[in-house]
Amino acid sequence: MQEWLAAGGPGLPGPDRIVSPESAGRVLLAVASRAVRGRDCADLGYHPLLSRFRGAPETVRRTALARAGARAAVTAEQAGTLDADQVARWMVEHYPADRYPGIVLGSPHGGAVHLATAMGVPWLPTAFDVAVQWPGGAVTDPAGALAYGARVAGRLLGANPAVRVRQVHDPAGRGVLAGSTVSLVVRWHRLSDPYREFLGNRLEPGAPVLLLRDVRGWPVLEYADGHSFQVGGPTSGLEPADFRPDSEVLGQVLRGAGGDGASWDAPDPGLPGYAEHGVEPGFEAGLLDWAEAAGSPVHRVLFPGPHALSAAAADVYRNWLRAAGKTGDRCVVECGRLIDPWQVVRAGLVPYWCESATERSVTGAEWWLAGSTPFSSLDVLPEPPGLRSPALAGLPQWLAVASFGRRRRAVDRMAARGYPVTSVATRHATEVLRGQPYDLPAPAPLRVVEALAGLRASGTPQGLLVC
């Protein structure tokens, strides 16, 4: 498999260029497709944009980051003519042409990828992120971002009636990049033909399908048919109120991204809705229709926050390891793109995945560890986000996570050095986990019925719903 495929023709970038390498969904697809092959992530060396140029003065660094973000993004014309089915086909082609005993689809979450790896099945996202160049943009101008994004989204939707577009303007999560590019989350509103073909040709008869949905809420402005807009998002670690013009937190965020901390031209925030990582109702309906015709059961898992699924998936792993005669006594706390599902299985580790380095995400790991039977060994891989934010966890909080280990308590030194603005690629997680003792052979693949029972038992008290 080639991670970086060729462009689709003159002026028409291929999916590898269209799908943002900064997005969680792309990283998780890359690691999941490797794990299915029994491979680790040693070849995933991409360094996030925000962590670059850290030796330069801050004003120079911001300018360089904005230019680098614009160069990495697609033009408005290219975004308007992208082919969502071509992207879907590129995604399914990450996996070898085998027959699989099931599949996991849905919102981007490391716990979902770990479950898919334990079951020996693929994981596929229900959306993809696109960064579009925004000439003359500013982090302080979400209204301008909406106006510009609406023109791009209008063309994109005209060429792809089977998708919906959620635009996100989030200077807390994207920093200076929010002023040089607009961020579009393209969500399939129908079951795409490449996905339908993959399900029909690659799944064993009657194979179960797991659909995992992030049901976090956020104010959403339904701007035009198929195009919606949100200012900020739950992945930033902030609350909707923090993006109001009178918010002191917003002032800190804007100053950190190069704004003056006072200007903020935002449109109406809209009404409560599902945040950017939600699954479109039309996609779920199409999946259910396909499954009914194919005779495959669909199990839906709705999680109210990443911590609920992370904790439940970790508990499922621990029980799975113990049922195979292993200790289940060593844990790794991953963060963002610092994840390697195959090395986790190879070492017999229990994985807990933090969505990001925000205080909220890390607090979720602390609560889970506090309520779990203590681990003898605990390794922590904090992903430096590349920017400073009032929502970020400090290094003392990461050290507090590691302190739950009885004998081994380790926060990765390379990630911690210069945190939160250092540069760490996914393959660094592989390098760290390769140092763990082997615990082979791996357990027999996790059965779906066992996964669902474990998710219900552990996740229900935290608001996770299995149906």
Side-chain angles (χ1 to χ4, degrees):
M1 183 207 50
Q2 293 185 356
E3 173 64 15
W4 307 102
L5 305 182
L12 297 175
D16 64 298
R17 180 90 165 76
I18 290 169
V19 181
S20 172
E22 303 285 310
S23 63
R26 175 157 182 171
V27 174
L28 294 175
L29 177 64
V31 302
S33 59
R34 282 160 174 74
V36 145
R37 289 175 161 81
R39 287 179 50 196
D40 63 21
C41 302
D43 61 327
L44 295 182
Y46 179 81
H47 287 258
L49 286 170
L50 285 174
S51 62
R52 301 178 186 180
F53 312 115
R54 65 187 182 93
E58 192 57 30
T59 53
V60 175
R61 181 173 182 266
R62 290 189 191 121
T63 301
L65 285 172
R67 290 175 177 170
R71 286 195 301 271
V74 298
T75 67
E77 181 180 3
Q78 290 169 335
T81 56
L82 70 82
D83 184 342
D85 270 2
Q86 185 187 26
V87 173
R89 191 167 303 283
W90 172 77
M91 288 181 169
V92 300
E93 287 176 351
H94 276 66
Y95 293 97
D98 297 332
R99 299 281 278 185
Y100 299 102
I103 191 170
V104 179
L105 305 100
S107 305
H109 192 289
V113 172
H114 280 300
L115 289 172
T117 300
M119 291 186 285
V121 304
W123 174 84
L124 287 172
T126 53
F128 60 94
D129 292 42
V130 182
V132 184
Q133 295 172 6
W134 180 22
V139 295
T140 57
D141 189 16
L146 172 58
Y148 186 81
R151 295 194 292 273
V152 178
R155 291 191 61 192
L156 192 159
L157 290 164
N160 299 274
V163 304
R164 297 290 182 266
V165 175
R166 171 67 57 84
Q167 183 179 349
V168 182
H169 185 81
D170 184 10
R174 302 186 67 236
V176 68
L177 301 181
S180 62
T181 62
V182 295
S183 178
L184 307 180
V185 183
V186 182
R187 311 196 298 200
W188 280 286
H189 183 59
R190 303 173 195 163
L191 187 63
S192 67
D193 288 341
Y195 273 33
R196 189 180 298 274
E197 293 168 10
F198 185 86
L199 295 172
N201 297 332
R202 302 283 188 85
L203 296 191
E204 296 174 357
V209 176
L210 269 65
L211 178 65
L212 278 67
R213 289 178 47 197
D214 184 339
V215 294
R216 283 179 290 183
W218 197 264
V220 177
L221 176 63
E222 297 292 343
Y223 188 71
D225 187 22
H227 176 216
S228 55
F229 181 83
Q230 67 183 63
V231 174
T235 57
S236 70
L238 300 178
E239 299 291 338
D242 294 323
F243 292 91
R244 293 173 182 166
D246 58 351
S247 167
E248 182 178 337
V249 170
L250 177 63
Q252 295 178 47
V253 167
L254 295 178
R255 285 190 292 273
D260 60 14
S263 303
W264 183 245
D265 185 11
D268 178 81
L271 300 174
Y274 291 126
E276 69 271 24
H277 291 320
V279 176
E280 286 290 326
F283 180 92
E284 182 174 344
L287 181 63
L288 291 171
D289 288 344
W290 174 87
E292 182 179 7
S296 287
V298 175
H299 306 280
R300 288 167 288 179
V301 180
L302 283 61
F303 54 98
H307 63 282
L309 181 56
S310 293
D315 288 341
V316 167
Y317 253 67
R318 197 171 203 180
N319 292 333
W320 176 54
L321 292 170
R322 286 177 169 176
K326 301 179 183 295
T327 65
D329 202 28
R330 294 184 297 137
C331 177
V332 58
V333 175
E334 305 163 318
C335 181
R337 66 179 59 238
L338 294 184
I339 176 175
D340 191 324
W342 177 245
Q343 285 293 340
V344 164
V345 170
R346 192 272 307 162
L349 300 174
V350 175
Y352 182 100
W353 182 75
C354 293
E355 179 183 49
S356 63
T358 62
E359 181 180 353
R360 180 185 302 161
S361 289
V362 183
T363 298
E366 290 179 292
W367 277 110
W368 172 70
L369 287 164
S372 301
T373 302
F375 291 91
S376 65
S377 170
L378 188 53
D379 282 80
V380 180
L381 299 173
E383 183 195 17
L387 49 70
R388 303 182 188 276
S389 165
L392 289 182
L395 274 179
Q397 189 175 5
W398 286 109
L399 290 168
V401 171
S403 71
F404 282 95
R406 290 200 318 270
R407 290 197 292 270
R408 175 180 168 84
R409 310 175 183 94
V411 175
D412 177 63
R413 291 183 180 181
M414 180 176 288
R417 191 180 302 126
Y419 177 92
V421 294
T422 45
S423 179
V424 182
T426 297
R427 69 183 176 197
H428 180 64
T430 304
E431 294 164 0
V432 172
L433 295 178
R434 279 179 174 178
Q436 291 282 346
Y438 277 53
D439 193 3
L440 296 174
L446 178 69
R447 295 186 303 151
V448 171
V449 64
E450 296 168 339
L452 294 174
L455 291 173
R456 283 194 184 96
S458 176
T460 299
Q462 302 182 67
L464 185 144
L465 176 65
V466 180
C467 54

